[in-house]
Amino acid sequence: MSIQGTRTSLKVIDVSGIEDPGSVSPEHLLKPLWDSGLVLLGGVDLDLQQFEEFTHRFCDRFHRSAARDDLRRSDGDGYSVRTPEGNFTLFAHNEGSYRPFELAHLAFFLCIEGPSSRGGETLLVDGRCFYQALPEQLARTLENEGVVYSARWDNERWQAELGVENIQELENLAMENHDFSFRISHGEMQYQCRRSAILDDLQGEPVFANAMLAHLPEITHHRYTRANPYASNTNKVSFGGGQVPGEQDIQTLIDIQDKVSLEHAPAAGEQRDNCKAGWHPS
């Protein structure tokens, strides 16, 4: 089954009815995944072990979500984390795109227990439609300059995020990646990392694929004044040329996000193209 959203061309492909997810060949799911950006495993009852075994059939390396270390499942493989229970809105982003590494190709979600009240929907954002909706000048700036992420992290955070153990390894990482720089002050690391904001999907089409909206120091959009949007005064984004996006630029990006998003209720499991489809929980 395919679902055509009224505000997006992103398709959700339902492969419910499969009794044993382990019997599904990766090739059976990868083609529709690359075409649509999302495969929905509806009607499949998976426990955490089955879910992780399923993900290992597609990936040999996994991204550690250091920002959710306190939500890590102790009974899993060390990569599965729970979704925060707090009532807040995290804007659309491509997982891990603020770090000096290749963007992760896939993201997996498993709904173990749905919310008991209103909320909990996953909002999926079609990166291709997002790019097409960008004003010409803003699109050109993002393509030519990319995005620079800045943040302050404590020792545990930067070690987990960057996969290093000490400052020497951190210095080696900076020497290998000229778009990444840092300084240590008062027990914290201040870092900057320049990343591409527009990528090509597997069909060669440009997509808006970054974490700008999830890395803002504040959010003032009028539609989200009561939605508790995530922002942190230790975060900052700028264009590659050093200019900080103006308030109008941010408002425009949020408006586009809302225009090209497809909302669906929590499902048993899903598999997402981390380049083509950004996401944010509500």
Side-chain angles (χ1 to χ4, degrees):
M1 177 180 69
S2 297
I3 299 175
Q4 182 71 41
T6 57
R7 295 176 296 163
T8 174
S9 63
L10 187 67
K11 296 178 181 178
V12 180
I13 299 177
D14 187 348
V15 292
S16 60
I18 298 175
E19 296 183 1
D20 178 17
S23 67
V24 180
S25 68
E27 293 76 15
H28 179 72
L29 296 181
L30 286 177
K31 177 59 166 65
L33 175 64
W34 299 143
D35 288 343
S36 67
L38 179 80
V39 169
L40 176 65
L41 303 177
V44 181
D45 187 16
L46 299 175
D47 60 26
L48 182 64
Q49 179 179 346
Q50 291 171 320
F51 172 72
E52 292 183 344
E53 289 175 352
F54 177 79
T55 66
H56 280 270
R57 302 190 66 207
F58 294 86
C59 302
D60 58 0
R61 291 181 298 150
F62 290 84
H63 158 65
R64 181 179 175 185
S65 181
R68 296 187 180 183
D69 259 355
D70 57 338
L71 298 171
R72 192 167 311 284
R73 290 289 299 255
S74 60
D75 54 342
D77 60 9
Y79 295 102
S80 296
V81 296
R82 301 189 306 277
T83 298
E85 296 179 0
N87 184 21
F88 71 99
T89 298
L90 180 60
F91 283 160
H93 61 284
N94 300 80
E95 197 69 33
S97 52
Y98 53 85
R99 307 183 312 157
F101 305 121
E102 180 185 7
L103 184 67
H105 294 165
L106 296 175
F108 298 87
F109 296 88
L110 174 67
C111 179
I112 297 177
E113 181 179 357
S116 58
S117 60
R118 182 178 180 274
E121 296 84 3
T122 298
L123 288 165
L124 298 156
V125 177
D126 188 332
R128 187 183 296 178
C129 288
F130 202 127
Y131 170 80
Q132 294 169 352
L134 288 170
E136 182 178 353
Q137 181 58 52
L138 183 54
R140 186 179 303 115
T141 299
L142 290 170
E143 285 181 303
N144 294 340
E145 299 184 13
V147 179
V148 176
Y149 301 97
S150 304
R152 290 200 310 271
W153 288 341
D154 61 26
N155 287 345
E156 290 185 0
R157 178 76 186 271
W158 61 256
Q159 288 171 339
E161 286 278 9
L162 302 174
V164 297
E165 296 293 335
N166 50 56
I167 294 179
Q168 181 59 58
E169 292 182 6
L170 196 57
E171 291 176 345
N172 292 340
L173 177 63
M175 290 178 62
E176 295 168 359
N177 192 314
H178 299 298
D179 289 327
F180 170 76
S181 61
F182 75 94
R183 63 183 177 88
I184 302 292
S185 177
H186 303 294
E188 292 185 319
M189 180 188 78
Q190 177 77 40
Y191 90 98
Q192 286 192 332
C193 184
R194 183 180 181 275
R195 302 286 288 154
S196 297
I198 308 296
L199 301 176
D200 288 343
D201 64 15
L202 291 182
Q203 287 76 35
E205 296 290 335
V207 296
F208 181 86
N210 56 71
M212 288 182 67
L213 294 180
H215 206 85
L216 296 172
E218 63 176 345
I219 294 170
T220 60
H221 196 289
H222 66 91
R223 284 201 302 277
Y224 289 92
T225 54
R226 298 184 179 180
N228 192 22
Y230 172 78
S232 172
N233 60 11
T234 65
N235 289 343
K236 178 184 174 182
V237 293
S238 59
F239 298 123
Q243 179 183 0
V244 176
E247 184 172 344
Q248 185 57 52
D249 291 328
I250 299 301
Q251 309 283 1
T252 296
L253 292 176
I254 293 174
D255 287 340
I256 295 174
Q257 167 202 263
D258 293 347
K259 180 181 178 181
V260 300
S261 64
L262 173 66
E263 180 178 296
H264 72 89
E270 66 186 33
Q271 181 180 27
R272 180 177 62 84
D273 181 337
N274 192 41
C275 174
K276 183 178 294 183
W279 71 285
H280 64 102
S282 63

